[in-house]
Amino acid sequence: MEATLGLNILVVDDEPDICESLAGILEDEGYVVSSAGSAEAADAFLRQASVDLVLLDIWLPGEDGVSLLRRWAAAGLQQPVVMMSGHGTVETAVQATKLGAYDFIEKPLSLDKTLLTVGHALEASRLQRENRALRSQAGLVMAPSGQSPAICQFREQLLRVAAVDSWVLLLGEAGTGKEVAARYLHSHSQRAAGPFIDLRAAAIARPNVAIELFGNEREGRITRGRLEVAHSGTLFIDEIADMDLETQARLFSALQERRIIRVGGVTPVAVDVRVIAGSTHDLVQEVQAGRFRQDLYYRLSALPLRVPPLSARSADIPVLIEEFMAFYGQRDGLAPRHFTAETLDVLRHYPWPGNIRELQNLVERLLILAEGPEVSAAEVEGALGLDNRLALAGGPEGEDFGGTLKRARERFERAFLEYHLARNDWNIARTAEVVGLERTHLYRKLKNLGIALKGERRAGEEDEEER
């Protein structure tokens, strides 16, 4: 079972002797125990602190425990609740279970029964959290993959940084895998048993970022923000420079003081979170331009790490392709395809302006629009738009020099012959005369380059329409 050290339990009971007795029993096992004597006091406690489990008595002054449980269930309380009563009935136990209570224990409380129930409830809650995390992360790459010198050095840096609990700043081009790096860092840190929560600041309207971060209190209903949900774990904030200055200031203050105030609330809530921030921007320039707070930048930049672009680790492309094919096979049932050595060579020489994200999108497209079990170099060039670049180039400066000399020659020959075929209305005899080839040689060349003749193209289009 999960270690008990540091887990927080709230006992809600109006009998001080019961609260004191439970506190003594549970604290001896390493739990942190707090108590509340009424539903109102329990609400107030949960507004300002996070707990891992609630022991709730049914008979309370004012609002009873079952009504309180019903209200918590409607508000989306995630923590397990164990009901207690000295006057319970089977009907009451069934009702509490239907409302979401984990279990029901009778007073006078048995020491062994109480500890066993608490342990099982916490274990079940942990497994539910892990299952939710696994479902949300199904197929996700959890570590920077590959054996290139650039990625090996970067993984070593992440492991060194994981050993300390400081804030971290991940810098790099869009699509380089900053979230994967953050997950890897978290999984090797002292907070690995805690949650990993992410916030994509660029994807949230600026007025809503504060609510997403700090939560909200409105009309008695509490919505917990990412900072509170990430308590005891890690919060990854991608594109942190997209936050407005007011939210930046509030974030810096909250993390310095280790407490937050929800939007619309007045009660401070304790939080213990490690922040990993990601950015594609030059934050020094953002600070100089007045768009990013200097104090927040200095705190983040204590441990800055630069994520290498895919162009600096092209040797890792085959490994990444295999991972993406496994992901789409598992998620969508797409069959894997074989990337030839020639195809991989084209991919290694491509500049990858969109980095790993662009490669992943390419693999998905090639699997969905599969033209056979093998991915050819020509198919990849078509998908990347490389086959049109040479034909559209206006001179040496506009030409594409990626790939091998053989591939460059094939691209030129394909573009050259298609150009002259079009100018001569796809007449083979005239085209052969213009380009200086014998007709049989031209036919063979067109076949090798995969260029269909006009009649073959028309027939192919008609067959496609019939399908």
Side-chain angles (χ1 to χ4, degrees):
M1 287 189 181
E2 187 179 71
T4 62
L5 188 62
L7 292 177
N8 296 294
I9 296 177
L10 174 64
V11 178
V12 185
D13 198 305
D14 63 331
E15 298 182 51
D17 290 345
I18 295 291
C19 293
E20 186 176 342
S21 174
L22 280 171
I25 293 170
L26 296 169
E27 286 172 354
D28 285 346
E29 297 297 316
Y31 297 106
V32 177
V33 183
S34 304
S35 62
S38 66
E40 183 180 3
D43 279 338
F45 185 87
L46 290 177
R47 275 196 293 270
Q48 62 184 335
S50 295
V51 300
D52 298 289
L53 179 140
V54 179
L55 290 171
L56 175 60
D57 188 33
I58 287 181
W59 302 106
L60 295 171
E63 185 178 13
D64 64 71
V66 173
S67 298
L68 179 59
L69 176 63
R70 181 182 291 108
R71 188 157 51 76
W72 281 350
L77 183 73
Q78 297 291 322
Q79 293 85 346
V81 177
V82 174
M83 304 299 290
M84 306 181 295
S85 177
H87 311 283
T89 63
V90 174
E91 290 78 11
T92 305
V94 170
Q95 183 183 11
T97 303
K98 286 182 177 179
L99 289 172
Y102 174 78
D103 205 346
F104 185 97
I105 54 177
E106 292 185 271
K107 296 178 181 177
L109 301 174
S110 159
L111 171 62
D112 291 339
K113 168 71 172 174
T114 299
L115 290 178
L116 191 64
T117 302
V118 166
H120 285 167
L122 288 167
E123 177 71 1
S125 177
R126 182 184 68 81
L127 291 173
Q128 286 177 356
R129 289 197 309 271
E130 288 184 357
N131 287 336
R132 285 196 298 268
L134 288 172
R135 284 196 298 270
S136 67
Q137 297 169 10
L140 288 179
V141 177
M142 302 302 290
S145 307
Q147 294 300 322
S148 65
I151 205 63
C152 287
Q153 182 182 13
F154 181 59
R155 275 200 303 266
E156 291 173 5
Q157 292 174 338
L158 289 173
L159 289 175
R160 288 198 296 269
V161 169
V164 297
D165 203 39
S166 300
W167 297 8
V168 181
L169 177 61
L170 297 174
L171 298 168
E173 300 172 10
T176 50
K178 289 185 281 293
E179 182 179 343
V180 171
R183 289 182 182 277
Y184 183 75
L185 198 159
H186 167 74
S187 67
H188 288 81
S189 73
Q190 299 172 4
R191 296 175 177 268
F196 177 91
I197 305 297
D198 66 304
L199 173 71
R200 292 172 175 79
I204 302 171
R206 287 201 168 190
N208 298 328
V209 172
I211 293 176
E212 289 289 335
L213 264 178
F214 305 105
N216 188 31
E217 288 188 31
R218 186 177 181 182
E219 298 176 353
R221 186 180 179 89
I222 295 173
T223 302
R224 288 174 168 80
R226 308 292 176 92
L227 279 165
E228 200 170 345
V229 175
H231 181 73
S232 78
T234 301
L235 175 65
F236 172 60
I237 306 176
D238 195 18
E239 294 302 349
I240 193 169
D242 285 347
M243 285 184 179
D244 60 76
L245 290 170
E246 182 181 350
T247 304
Q248 291 176 30
R250 191 169 179 172
L251 173 65
F252 179 77
S253 175
L255 294 171
Q256 285 285 91
E257 298 175 11
R258 294 196 167 199
R259 62 179 187 173
I260 62 170
I261 296 178
R262 303 184 190 100
V263 175
V266 294
T267 306
V269 180
V271 292
D272 176 21
V273 176
R274 181 185 198 175
V275 170
I276 302 175
S279 181
T280 58
H281 300 278
D282 184 334
L283 293 187
V284 173
Q285 291 184 3
E286 295 296 303
V287 170
Q288 293 172 348
R291 293 187 293 267
F292 199 80
R293 287 184 62 91
Q294 189 176 53
D295 52 5
L296 183 58
Y297 168 71
Y298 284 137
R299 180 65 190 270
L300 288 171
S301 61
L303 285 173
L305 298 178
R306 186 160 291 278
V307 187
L310 185 54
S311 58
R313 43 178 298 218
S314 58
D316 297 328
I317 287 175
V319 174
L320 293 168
I321 288 174
E322 290 298 323
E323 285 185 347
F324 296 144
M325 285 199 296
F327 168 64
Y328 289 117
Q330 176 185 342
R331 193 191 74 174
D332 303 323
L334 296 175
R337 302 180 67 193
H338 174 64
F339 285 68
T340 67
E342 195 174 29
T343 302
L344 291 174
D345 191 66
V346 172
L347 294 174
R348 288 191 190 97
H349 287 85
Y350 180 68
W352 298 109
N355 290 291
I356 295 174
R357 187 179 299 132
E358 184 181 6
L359 175 61
Q360 182 173 1
N361 292 340
L362 173 69
V363 171
E364 181 182 22
R365 187 160 67 249
L366 291 172
L367 296 182
I368 293 173
L369 304 176
E371 298 178 4
E374 191 171 89
V375 181
S376 68
E379 186 181 355
V380 163
E381 288 175 343
L384 293 173
L386 295 177
D387 53 352
N388 294 324
R389 293 185 184 183
L390 194 59
L392 297 174
E397 293 182 359
E399 293 175 358
D400 172 46
F401 292 110
T404 63
L405 178 61
K406 179 183 177 183
R407 295 303 308 157
R409 183 167 60 246
E410 288 179 354
R411 286 197 297 270
F412 173 77
E413 288 181 348
R414 185 182 296 108
F416 176 80
L417 293 176
E418 286 183 339
Y419 170 78
H420 284 289
L421 283 165
R423 289 201 64 178
N424 290 282
D425 196 30
W426 295 82
N427 183 291
I428 295 295
R430 286 203 304 269
T431 303
E433 184 179 352
V434 169
V435 301
L437 291 174
E438 295 182 1
R439 288 179 61 178
T440 54
H441 189 186
L442 177 58
Y443 272 119
R444 189 162 55 250
K445 179 67 73 175
L446 294 176
K447 182 178 180 181
N448 291 339
L449 293 172
I451 299 175
L453 298 179
K454 193 172 184 179
E456 295 171 341
R457 293 190 173 202
R458 186 179 299 113
E461 291 169 0
E462 290 174 353
D463 289 343
E464 185 65 31
E465 289 175 1
E466 290 177 5
R467 285 196 292 271

